Structure formats: C-alpha cells, structure tokens
Amino acid sequence: MTPTLDVTTTFPLERHASPVDATTRAGLLENPGFGRIFTDHMAVARWNAEKGWHDLAIQPRASLQMDPACAVLHYAQEIFEGLKAYRTDDGGVTLFRADANARRFRESARRMAMAELPEDLFLASIDALVAADREWIPAIEGGSLYLRPFMIASEVFLGVKPSAEYLYMVIASPAGAYFKGSAPSITVWVSEDYTRAAPGGTGAAKCGGNYAASLQAQAEAIREGCDQVVFLDAVQRAEVEELGGMNTFFVFDDGSIQTPPLTGTILPGITRDSILTLARDEGLGVREAPYSIDAWEADAASGRLRESFACGTAAVVTPIGRVRGRSRDFRIGNGGPGELTSRLRERLVAIQKQQAPDPHGWVRRIL
Ligand SMILES: *Cc1c(COP(=O)(O)O)cnc(C)c1O
C-alpha cells in the first residue's frame, strides 16, 4: 500500500532552527548503537472526539510537557510500533512492509480502546519524518533508521476509562548493524515463574504494558547468564510462546519449520509472517502449531530438531543455540547458527536491501 495522501501537506514540516551540524552528525552515525541517539525532528498528531485527528506536523524534536495526571502515566494506555528505513545502494530510501505496521497499530489501538489512526496517516507520518531526517540514515553496512511510532492516552483525568484524547508521535533513531557479520547464537532462559500474556489479555497488542510485565523475567534471564527469556503459555505452562520481543521458530530434520500459532497471546510479528511466506515460497513444510518445552528438549536430544531461531525487526533473525531453565539445559544442533536459519536471514535481508527480487511487493521506495 502506498500513501494516498500528499505527505508534505498532510504533515507540514516545521524545520528545526538549530539542527545537529553535519560534522557532529557524521560522528554520531559512525557507531550509532541502538536507541541512544535521535534525529532532529518528530511527527505529531492529536485526537479528540470533537476534532478527530488534528494538529498533524513534523516538528523539531523536543521534550513533552505533561500534566502529572495525564492518563497514560497511571493506567498505561499506550501502544507502539517499530520499523526501519533503509538506504539503498543507489542512495534511495526504502521501507519494509510499513503497511503491515500501520494495520497492526490500528489493531493494537482497538485492543487498548484507543482512537484508531487511519493507515494512510500512519504511512504519511513515517514518509514525512524520514524525508525531513534522511541525512540521519547511517551509511554504514547494516545501518538503518529505526522508527518508533507510538500513541499515548493524553487526557488529564484520574478516572479509569478510555482516554478522551490521544497523542500520536513518531521519533527516529539511527541504528548500527545489530550484529557484525553473521548473527551469533543466543542462550535463552525458560521462565517458570512468570508468563507474558494470558488468553483474553493483551499479548497480541504491541503495548508497553506487555514489556513492563516481561522485565522481571528478562532480568532473571540475565542473572542466570542467559541472553533472553523465553515464555511458556500461561495456562498449562507447557507450550513455547515467544521471547520478550521476538517470535520463535523451530527447524526439523525433514526440512520443515514450525512456529506457535497466533491464538491471541503471541505478538503477530511481521518478520514472523515474512519468514513463513519465504519458507512457503521455497516449498518447505510450514506449520503454525503449538510446540511444548518438553518436545523441544526431547527433539533436540534425538536430533529430530535441527535449528531454532528468534525473529523480529530489530535483530531480524537470531539463532537460538542453547536453552536453559531451572531443571533443564540443552543445546540445539551444534549450538551455532543453523543452515536454514542463516539462509532465511540472508534471503530476507537481501529483499530488504533490494539486492534480490521482491515478489510480494514488501519494499516501498519513499525517497
Ligand atoms: C514487535 C514484537 C515482535 C516482533 O515483531 P516484528 O513485527 O517482526 O518486529 C515479537 N514479539 C513481541 C512481543 C513484539 O513486541
């Protein structure tokens, strides 16, 4: 989907009077890391019942003034998205499946009883901000401009109800290569005391509250010397669901792949969907079906399970080499990145960089 709106008139640019100078910016972009540095501008839009969406603009990036009784600070009515703008070899700029982020943002809003931002406004806000801050896209190998759209309940009221006002914003943060070269394998910690999402809860919405609820388990994983936490389903504490911010995949000796189904407790990742599509394109057997932690351990031991990986926009595809828990510790394959894991990662990255054909029309050139 391409935006049907005229981007520059929909989100008019109020240019920063004193942006970061080119030399300082070049220095920052040499090693941007992730989420530490930010561009000169931000997209803003407000909603209330009377005016609908209004005050749309690209403005100089600045701190927010907030009343301490602002609803989001108390009841966490908040959603967000994460996507990247890429620099192409010929100096252009592309987005990967931004229309899917726009749709998911609306679905998250609905679940959190928030105003829904029309998808063409979402896309226009992204296009306009990237155009204003295009000099901030790192030229380094694997670099991108990470875009963080989010929306908060901005009504000043302590009563518990859906807010009557919302503030939508997009901020942008230059990001380096998540990994240098091929992705190293991670060790995941199986959380037995904490779950991430229960049936009927908000697990399928991209909301800050899900992350708040995952931090204690993630901290435990780090204390145990692991990289990430893996959550089990909240009812039986048996089925593998996902990591704190990445979906999970399993690769079997017959060449088939499997991922947990979207039953409401798992975030419907766009990377997950892209991997499923690429695997089906290749003619691989693909299953969206529950997989228990006991089966994961048994199949890893028998050799039936060959590879496992996690996936999401930030790190694309990350091999899982080892699984630990209070009463388990097993290795996947030889503990290193698996063959299919690496191939799927490379195919996806090649499409994102426009170095391979894009049969599904996932990449949209915006500049
Ligand atoms: C964002 C997110 C993902 C990955 O989604 P992508 O669209 O692939 O970036 C997976 N799990 C959780 C909990 C997330 O918030």
Side-chain angles (χ1 to χ4, degrees):
M1 177 185 175
T2 48
T4 46
L5 300 164
D6 183 286
V7 168
T8 47
T9 52
T10 310
F11 280 87
L13 172 60
E14 185 191 319
R15 204 170 271 288
H16 202 299
S18 49
V20 174
D21 69 82
T23 312
T24 307
R25 188 178 60 227
L28 290 169
L29 292 183
E30 270 169 29
N31 184 17
F34 180 80
R36 288 188 295 111
I37 61 177
F38 298 95
T39 63
D40 293 315
H41 298 91
M42 61 189 191
V44 180
R46 295 182 179 275
W47 186 93
N48 65 31
E50 186 200 335
K51 294 188 189 166
W53 287 102
H54 63 281
D55 287 354
L56 281 57
I58 304 296
Q59 296 175 346
R61 189 174 183 282
S63 300
L64 296 178
Q65 272 236 330
M66 269 184 145
D67 190 284
C70 193
V72 67
L73 300 177
H74 302 274
Y75 308 123
Q77 201 187 5
E78 186 268 358
I79 58 170
F80 66 95
E81 270 302 328
L83 66 162
K84 290 170 171 175
Y86 304 87
R87 210 186 262 286
T88 60
D89 292 339
D90 63 348
V93 179
T94 59
L95 298 175
F96 181 75
R97 302 192 72 181
D99 55 331
N101 294 97
R103 197 173 327 120
R104 187 170 67 189
F105 196 64
R106 255 162 50 98
E107 282 158 10
S108 296
R110 195 172 314 144
R111 177 61 185 86
M112 303 301 284
M114 301 173 88
E116 290 176 37
L117 181 71
E119 288 163 37
D120 54 359
L121 286 185
F122 179 100
L123 294 174
S125 70
I126 300 287
D127 289 14
L129 180 62
V130 174
D133 285 335
R134 66 178 298 172
E135 302 302 331
W136 283 95
I137 309 176
I140 52 176
E141 174 67 25
S144 62
L145 186 62
Y146 183 80
L147 298 155
R148 171 52 63 85
F150 64 103
M151 178 162 55
I152 60 172
S154 52
E155 187 181 7
V156 178
F157 183 50
L158 290 183
V160 178
K161 62 155 190 80
S163 175
E165 296 170 14
Y166 294 95
L167 171 62
Y168 166 75
M169 307 185 80
V170 189
I171 53 175
S173 177
Y178 212 85
F179 309 113
K180 300 244 187 294
S182 65
S185 296
I186 59 168
T187 299
V188 295
W189 175 256
V190 183
S191 181
E192 287 173 48
D193 296 328
Y194 307 106
T195 58
R196 177 186 166 274
T202 58
K206 212 166 171 73
C207 62
N210 288 342
Y211 278 75
S214 76
L215 296 177
Q216 185 65 263
Q218 175 64 26
E220 180 181 283
I222 300 293
R223 270 200 308 277
E224 295 289 344
C226 297
D227 302 291
Q228 292 276 332
V229 61
V230 61
F231 288 103
L232 304 178
D233 78 280
V235 177
Q236 300 174 47
R237 307 282 181 108
E239 284 155 12
V240 180
E241 296 221 308
E242 61 173 317
L243 312 191
M246 282 189 272
N247 295 117
T248 48
F249 274 87
F250 311 97
V251 180
F252 296 90
D253 58 355
D254 62 357
S256 66
I257 68 168
Q258 182 165 337
T259 192
L262 301 179
T263 52
T265 55
I266 288 173
L267 200 287
I270 295 162
T271 316
R272 172 189 182 279
D273 184 74
S274 305
I275 295 278
L276 287 173
T277 304
L278 291 179
R280 287 190 180 110
D281 287 354
E282 279 197 19
L284 300 180
V286 171
R287 289 181 303 280
E288 293 178 69
Y291 194 54
S292 72
I293 180 72
D294 289 339
W296 198 7
E297 179 162 14
D299 291 344
S302 76
R304 182 175 170 260
L305 178 96
R306 287 282 167 82
E307 309 173 23
S308 302
F309 62 89
C311 68
T313 295
V316 195
V317 168
T318 304
I320 298 172
R322 188 174 167 194
V323 181
R324 287 183 44 214
R326 224 178 267 148
S327 56
R328 52 183 109 226
D329 184 352
F330 58 96
R331 206 167 69 153
I332 316 276
N334 64 8
E339 211 174 289
L340 187 62
T341 301
S342 301
R343 189 167 86 238
L344 288 170
R345 175 188 171 84
E346 279 157 25
R347 284 198 59 202
L348 189 54
V349 170
I351 294 172
Q352 289 173 338
K353 287 187 182 166
Q354 290 198 301
Q355 292 166 348
D358 175 24
H360 301 283
W362 285 339
V363 176
R364 182 165 62 84
R365 184 155 182 154
I366 58 169
L367 290 170

